[in-house]
Amino acid sequence: MDLAAEVTRRARRVPVWVIYVLGLAPMGWLFWLGLTGGLGPEPIKALEHRYGLIALQLLVAGLAITPLCRIARVNLMRFRRAVGLLAFAYVTAHLLVWLLLDLRSLSLIWQDLVKRPYVTIGMAGFACLVPLALTSNDRSVRALGPRWRRLHRLTYVAVPLGAVHFVMLVKGWQWEPLAYLAAILGLLALRLRLVRSAFQQA
């Protein structure tokens, strides 16, 4: 049996709820570390960064599932919804730490939105993710029909915005956020190629 088939076979044995439990575990653990001094001298900033980074990693993972299935023949599609919802949970946690623990002031929030482009871009990405999270259920898929797929193309806007937010957030040109941006652009380009191939074969 080839490796891709073996990985797919083993993945089918994993209940989806396990992905949710494992995915949410770091959220509680990091919050506990922040409360107990385990995140260094600036726990709020560290917690905000960690949540945002995990969110971006999950968004990248979600983008990679379809190409992985179509090119490498490793089928993890049954976990795609869970990965997407976990990403949204971490983006929301990232946002709440910034709003409720970091700024704690409506005037400061507004000032950041207006004066800091990376905040504006981050909020735009979050706004794109909200309707995706709200419609990530079977009832919405049935109710929206073909419109559901069109709506969920917002993923291709939200994920690059998250990467650009990260690039602009850090000081100077650091390799880590640029690597995430490159990976996301590469996955989007790959997805576009797969879509074009599907149309040509139709």
Side-chain angles (χ1 to χ4, degrees), residues 48-125:
E48 187 179 327
H49 173 73
R50 295 282 192 91
Y51 282 166
L53 186 59
I54 293 174
L56 191 58
Q57 290 167 348
L58 287 166
L59 289 170
V60 172
L63 275 184
I65 287 176
T66 296
L68 191 64
C69 178
R70 294 186 181 179
I71 296 174
R73 303 302 179 188
V74 176
N75 191 344
L76 303 177
M77 298 294 286
R78 63 194 297 262
F79 303 126
R80 187 168 60 177
R81 181 184 300 179
V83 172
L85 288 174
L86 284 168
F88 181 74
Y90 276 95
V91 171
T92 303
H94 171 71
L95 179 63
L96 289 175
V97 171
W98 174 67
L99 292 174
L100 303 179
L101 300 180
D102 190 358
L103 296 186
R104 294 181 292 178
S105 167
L106 289 175
S107 61
L108 289 177
I109 292 168
W110 178 248
Q111 287 176 24
D112 265 13
L113 282 171
V114 173
K115 295 181 179 179
R116 301 180 189 272
Y118 70 85
V119 175
T120 308
I121 289 172
M123 289 298 291

Side-chain angles (χ1 to χ4, degrees), residues 1-174:
M1 183 180 294
D2 63 82
L3 181 60
E6 178 65 16
V7 172
T8 299
R9 186 181 67 83
R10 290 180 179 274
R12 286 174 180 161
R13 296 180 179 179
V14 179
V16 176
W17 64 262
V18 172
I19 303 302
Y20 285 106
V21 171
L22 293 177
L24 289 173
M27 185 181 292
W29 175 244
L30 288 170
F31 192 79
W32 172 253
L33 288 178
L35 288 176
T36 56
L39 292 181
E42 296 186 359
I44 293 175
K45 288 292 186 183
L47 187 64
E48 187 179 327
H49 173 73
R50 295 282 192 91
Y51 282 166
L53 186 59
I54 293 174
L56 191 58
Q57 290 167 348
L58 287 166
L59 289 170
V60 172
L63 275 184
I65 287 176
T66 296
L68 191 64
C69 178
R70 294 186 181 179
I71 296 174
R73 303 302 179 188
V74 176
N75 191 344
L76 303 177
M77 298 294 286
R78 63 194 297 262
F79 303 126
R80 187 168 60 177
R81 181 184 300 179
V83 172
L85 288 174
L86 284 168
F88 181 74
Y90 276 95
V91 171
T92 303
H94 171 71
L95 179 63
L96 289 175
V97 171
W98 174 67
L99 292 174
L100 303 179
L101 300 180
D102 190 358
L103 296 186
R104 294 181 292 178
S105 167
L106 289 175
S107 61
L108 289 177
I109 292 168
W110 178 248
Q111 287 176 24
D112 265 13
L113 282 171
V114 173
K115 295 181 179 179
R116 301 180 189 272
Y118 70 85
V119 175
T120 308
I121 289 172
M123 289 298 291
F126 176 75
C128 290
L129 289 174
V130 170
L132 306 186
L134 292 177
T135 58
S136 288
N137 55 77
D138 293 336
R139 183 176 180 180
S140 295
V141 174
R142 290 191 297 269
L144 292 172
R147 291 174 295 173
W148 187 88
R149 287 187 178 276
R150 290 196 293 269
L151 175 64
H152 278 250
R153 288 173 187 163
L154 281 173
T155 302
Y156 307 138
V157 179
V159 181
L161 286 176
V164 172
H165 168 74
F166 189 20
V167 170
M168 297 177 69
L169 174 65
V170 299
K171 296 179 180 179
W173 292 95
Q174 298 185 25

